[in-house]
Amino acid sequence: LYHGALEKYARGLKDAGLTWDSLSEADMQARLLESFRAELGSFSDTEIFADAREEHFSRQAFSNLLFNTGIMTEQIRAGSFVPAYFEQELTGFSDPSDMTVPIGDGRTLSLTGKIDRIDIASGAGACYVKIIDYKTGKNRLDPTKIYAGIQLQLLVYLNAAIDALGRRTDRKVLPGAVFYYHIKDSRIDETTPLTDLQLHDLLEKDLRPSGIVLDDSAVISALDAKLSTESGYYSPFVSINTKKDGSIGASGSLLEEDSFNELRLFTRDKAASLGNSIASGITDINPYRTKNGSACKYCVYKGVCHFDTRLRGFYYRDIADSLSDSAADDGGRKQGASLKALIARIVAEKEEKK
């Protein structure tokens, strides 16, 4: 519902020659409501609208969507990244050769998917790409899961967008950022009274997207212009801050260009390795497990695989936090340690193969 409504809203703006940051709050609400109602209509025959709860559900869902869209608009207004593509199917957007991965023995793996949003910013002779993936769960980019091959989606999308846009421009196309944006009914636990402005600031911080940002002044400024003009500034839009001297503070979200490219190449190689395993018939019932849960938690195929650790021969594939603790939103420090460890592991393994 949220994905479809946001797509209709964004396409409507683009078709009308409008931008997210040009609308008044009233215009944004009116256009979003129209898009929401249009998308809601496609759900009218489903069970969720089979009783009197429909009105309550739709009112609450729209209120949540409106608040999150307002926050996303503020994030866009803060910098110079411009939303350019919405719910973009890779088929037809990317060249087939860019989405075909050789997996050995003359076989190939064809990748497909749909990118929720692609934002673009221009720099000195370069074009920067930001990938946004909307989530309603608690997904956070976890380097440990990237290394294990179970969280490659954002980076696969980034590679596809860079390749596709590189065929459409003479400028150099570089990774800018990859983010999960959590569309949620954000709640703040606070025991002291808050003003409306203080509450809004806390909610805005809670809804900052999580991900990876290219450590480049042009990109950082394109995400939040104040990061290039103000000292001692903590951005409410990305997990980056400036120190008292105006320089960028330590952040676990930042990766230098060489490291970002290593991560992109690793993603291609990992996809090829996984594809080769599937093509070779390796389909062991061996779900992953971390300290926070397992792949079985929301799996709808439990009745098919009959995975049961009480029976001999059934066991989890434990994803050890060998890169450090999994991602956390504490200024990005834990994610940063994991990202650095991940890049170091990737580079070391490449050297071993030489």
Side-chain angles (χ1 to χ4, degrees):
L1 177 60
Y2 290 143
H3 281 73
L6 282 170
E7 178 189 10
K8 287 180 171 60
Y9 173 74
R11 289 191 187 280
L13 292 182
K14 190 171 184 179
D15 291 344
L18 301 171
T19 60
W20 286 57
D21 57 348
S22 67
L23 295 183
S24 67
E25 187 172 343
D27 287 340
M28 179 192 73
Q29 182 169 342
R31 284 182 168 273
L32 189 64
L33 181 59
E34 181 181 357
S35 301
F36 178 78
R37 285 174 172 168
E39 185 64 19
L40 198 64
S42 65
F43 288 81
S44 60
D45 295 329
T46 63
E47 291 183 3
I48 63 171
F49 298 113
D51 55 37
R53 292 176 296 177
E54 173 184 350
E55 184 177 350
H56 172 73
F57 170 83
S58 60
R59 188 187 303 115
Q60 190 165 355
F62 178 71
S63 176
N64 188 27
L65 179 64
L66 178 62
F67 181 77
N68 278 269
T69 304
I71 293 294
M72 282 189 276
T73 300
E74 291 179 21
Q75 292 170 351
I76 292 168
R77 190 174 285 143
S80 55
F81 269 100
V82 177
Y85 299 90
F86 320 96
E87 295 293 320
Q88 181 60 60
E89 295 275 4
L90 296 186
T91 303
F93 177 65
S94 300
D95 188 90
S97 63
D98 294 333
M99 301 308 298
T100 302
V101 180
I103 59 175
D105 296 329
R107 299 172 298 191
T108 58
L109 171 69
S110 295
L111 302 175
T112 62
K114 181 187 290 186
I115 306 174
D116 289 341
R117 202 176 91 208
I118 304 173
D119 295 357
I120 298 175
S122 296
C127 170
Y128 298 100
V129 177
K130 177 175 71 172
I131 301 296
I132 297 284
D133 193 57
Y134 300 132
K135 295 294 183 185
T136 53
K138 297 181 180 180
N139 301 62
R140 292 200 174 274
L141 204 62
D142 186 340
T144 301
K145 290 183 178 180
I146 293 174
Y147 182 70
I150 54 180
Q151 202 178 61
L152 301 178
Q153 181 189 29
L154 275 176
L155 293 163
V156 168
Y157 286 167
L158 178 67
N159 284 340
I162 289 175
D163 290 339
L165 294 172
R167 295 177 181 274
R168 290 168 166 79
T169 180
D170 293 331
R171 292 184 296 168
K172 186 177 182 180
V173 181
L174 295 172
V178 291
F179 286 133
Y180 285 131
Y181 180 88
H182 298 90
I183 303 175
K184 62 180 181 178
D185 183 10
S186 188
R187 299 179 186 275
I188 302 297
D189 293 325
E190 184 61 59
T191 57
T192 58
L194 298 172
T195 65
D196 289 345
L197 180 59
Q198 288 173 326
L199 177 59
H200 179 82
D201 289 346
L202 288 174
L203 290 169
E204 197 170 53
K205 181 179 179 181
D206 185 54
L207 289 170
R208 286 186 303 189
S210 65
I212 306 173
V213 177
L214 181 68
D215 192 356
D216 180 283
S217 59
V219 172
I220 294 171
S221 177
L223 290 170
D224 185 345
K226 289 185 179 181
L227 287 167
S228 63
T229 61
E230 295 193 10
S231 302
Y233 172 69
Y234 287 78
S235 174
F237 309 112
V238 287
S239 297
I240 302 175
N241 69 283
T242 58
K243 295 188 285 190
K244 291 182 179 179
D245 63 2
S247 62
I248 298 297
S251 171
S253 300
L254 296 171
L255 268 189
E256 294 181 353
E257 184 178 345
D258 288 346
S259 295
F260 219 138
N261 288 331
E262 288 287 358
L263 193 56
R264 292 179 56 216
L265 289 172
F266 170 82
T267 300
R268 294 184 192 274
D269 292 343
K270 195 68 174 181
S273 175
L274 293 171
N276 185 55
S277 295
I278 295 171
S280 300
I282 301 175
T283 57
D284 298 343
I285 302 174
N286 188 208
Y288 78 84
R289 180 175 61 182
T290 69
K291 65 181 182 181
N292 297 319
S294 73
C296 298
K297 187 173 183 179
Y298 301 108
C299 181
V300 297
Y301 298 105
K302 293 178 182 178
V304 177
C305 77
H306 300 292
F307 179 79
D308 189 340
T309 54
R310 294 172 299 179
L311 302 177
R312 182 179 299 176
F314 288 94
Y315 55 90
Y316 284 105
R317 175 167 53 102
D318 287 313
I319 306 299
D321 294 325
S322 57
L323 301 174
S324 83
D325 292 333
S326 57
D329 191 22
D330 58 350
R333 288 185 293 274
K334 288 184 179 179
Q335 176 179 293
S338 293
L339 275 173
K340 291 178 181 178
L342 172 59
I343 299 302
R345 179 76 61 84
I346 290 171
V347 172
E349 289 182 354
K350 283 180 64 176
E351 289 298 319
E352 290 176 3
K353 293 178 181 178
K354 289 183 178 180

